[in-house]
Amino acid sequence: MTTPVPETVLLAAPRSFCAGVERAIEIVEHALAQRGHPVYVRKQIVHNAHVVADLESRGAVFVDELAQVPAGATVVFSAHGVSPAVRDEASLKNLAVIDATCPLVTKVHAEARRFAARGDTVLLIGHVGHEEVEGTLGEAPERTILVEDVAGARSVTVPDPERVSYLTQTTLAVDETAEILAVLRARFPALRGPASADICYATTNRQQALSTVAAEADLVLVIGSVNSSNSVRLVELARRAGRPAYLIDDAGDIRPEWLVGVRTVGLTAGASAPPRLVDDVVAALGPVTVLERETATESIRFTLPSAVRRP
Ligand code: SF4
């Protein structure tokens, strides 16, 4: 089948890399340059197949668990953060740790410790099995309960309804989280939360930009990997807006049948997807008019940890 060519591509802005992802990738690059090979990375540094393949080709060794890292080696913790148990294990093995945890995830960990220390049960809104959630849960496992959805919010029980707090994963859908929170607030009027939202600026901005683009598009494409929470949330958001939407790792995933009868394609990329993939997708769509819908500008940068900062 010949691939149909749409007339217009509407780019959502902001899109693609956030400050936490840029920092995490830079940390691995600096570690490789400064310490030589191998540099081990626990879990995918960020949830993107292209980023991982690129760093692998440059000498990074990705492992699932610290058991796969030789004693005394250098290991980078991914942007999603780790539990205290993982830090203890690294210390027992005498590993040289470089922590690439996004500072906005570190903020949630600090809140988990603070809320648990004041005697609260912590309701953590997030997705079971996600690395960020596992890390946050590990801060106070005996006091934290995972709430995944509205049904979970309706059924969760706590030892003392007067002493209950909530936290959220940083990459959730803003609208769905608001629904879950409304249920929790109705059930636990004493519920307390973080001073500022845990869903991060990058997640919020990308969802807002995509909503604007989806309103004008016949089809929405989201560049990102299947294990990228914020990318998957963007696809779901577009579908909730009534648009056909697909997650693609790169231009090679586009299926010609998706484009039949489509005049305007809305295009975005999750926070872990490299910007160059957006250019590739636009090029693959053919001779299209490219317009951008910008709903926010981002200037946030995070400093590198001292372990890789040059003197
Ligand atoms: Fe940090 Fe948000 Fe980016 Fe995750 S999506 S790395 S929390 S800025």
Side-chain angles (χ1 to χ4, degrees):
M1 174 178 186
T2 324
T3 304
V5 179
E7 289 169 15
T8 308
V9 171
L10 272 185
L11 292 174
R15 61 180 175 273
S16 198
F17 282 174
C18 61
V21 162
E22 280 180 349
R23 175 178 179 269
I25 294 169
E26 268 178 55
I27 286 171
V28 179
E29 289 172 342
H30 282 249
L32 285 167
Q34 292 168 12
R35 303 193 180 203
H37 309 169
V39 166
Y40 291 86
V41 183
R42 182 184 177 276
K43 308 284 185 190
Q44 293 193 346
I45 184 72
V46 301
H47 286 156
N48 185 270
H50 285 272
V51 170
V52 170
D54 177 50
L55 291 172
E56 226 160 22
S57 74
R58 291 151 72 183
V61 178
F62 289 87
V63 296
D64 266 334
E65 296 305 337
L66 293 185
Q68 298 161 263
V69 181
T74 296
V75 67
V76 179
F77 289 157
S78 80
H80 309 100
V82 298
S83 67
V86 173
R87 289 184 194 283
D88 292 347
E89 190 185 348
S91 153
L92 275 176
K93 289 190 76 166
N94 205 21
L95 300 178
V97 170
I98 308 175
D99 191 356
T101 304
C102 176
L104 300 182
V105 174
T106 303
K107 162 193 177 285
V108 182
H109 281 238
E111 289 161 348
R113 289 194 295 274
R114 193 156 52 84
F115 294 173
R118 71 187 178 200
D120 285 3
T121 299
V122 180
L123 301 177
L124 174 61
I125 305 172
H127 297 289
V128 69
H130 189 278
E131 282 149 38
E132 182 190 321
V133 164
E134 284 175 0
T136 309
L137 269 172
E139 290 290 351
E142 69 296 340
R143 288 202 162 271
T144 308
I145 303 174
L146 186 61
V147 175
E148 280 210 271
D149 49 24
V150 167
R154 288 200 182 108
S155 61
V156 67
T157 57
V158 298
D160 181 354
E162 295 303 314
R163 304 183 86 172
V164 56
S165 299
Y166 77 87
L167 295 171
T168 81
Q169 193 179 327
T170 57
T171 50
L172 299 181
V174 173
D175 55 353
E176 285 181 340
T177 306
E179 281 176 41
I180 296 169
L181 258 179
V183 173
L184 291 176
R185 285 205 172 100
R187 291 192 57 214
F188 308 113
L191 184 73
R192 292 191 281 178
S196 62
D198 288 334
I199 297 179
C200 76
Y201 80 96
T203 299
T204 307
N205 286 348
R206 278 152 193 69
Q207 289 176 17
Q208 225 160 35
L210 180 66
S211 293
T212 300
V213 160
E216 297 180 62
D218 305 307
L219 166 76
V220 170
L221 297 177
V222 177
I223 303 170
S225 290
V226 71
N227 58 344
S228 162
S229 171
N230 80 86
S231 304
V232 172
R233 301 292 85 77
L234 291 170
V235 173
E236 292 171 353
L237 185 65
R239 288 182 183 159
R240 282 201 294 281
R243 297 292 180 269
Y246 300 99
L247 183 68
I248 54 173
D249 248 315
D250 51 40
D253 286 346
I254 300 171
R255 296 222 203 116
E257 62 268 28
W258 296 345
L259 296 166
V260 174
V262 167
R263 294 173 65 171
T264 303
V265 175
L267 180 61
T268 190
S272 47
R276 69 177 167 80
L277 298 177
V278 178
D279 300 335
D280 293 351
V281 167
V282 171
L285 286 172
V288 291
T289 302
V290 180
L291 302 172
E292 188 170 67
R293 296 284 182 263
E294 186 174 68
T295 55
T297 51
E298 294 179 346
S299 54
I300 292 180
R301 293 277 300 163
F302 296 128
T303 51
L304 295 175
S306 55
V308 290
R309 226 179 289 146
R310 288 195 187 279

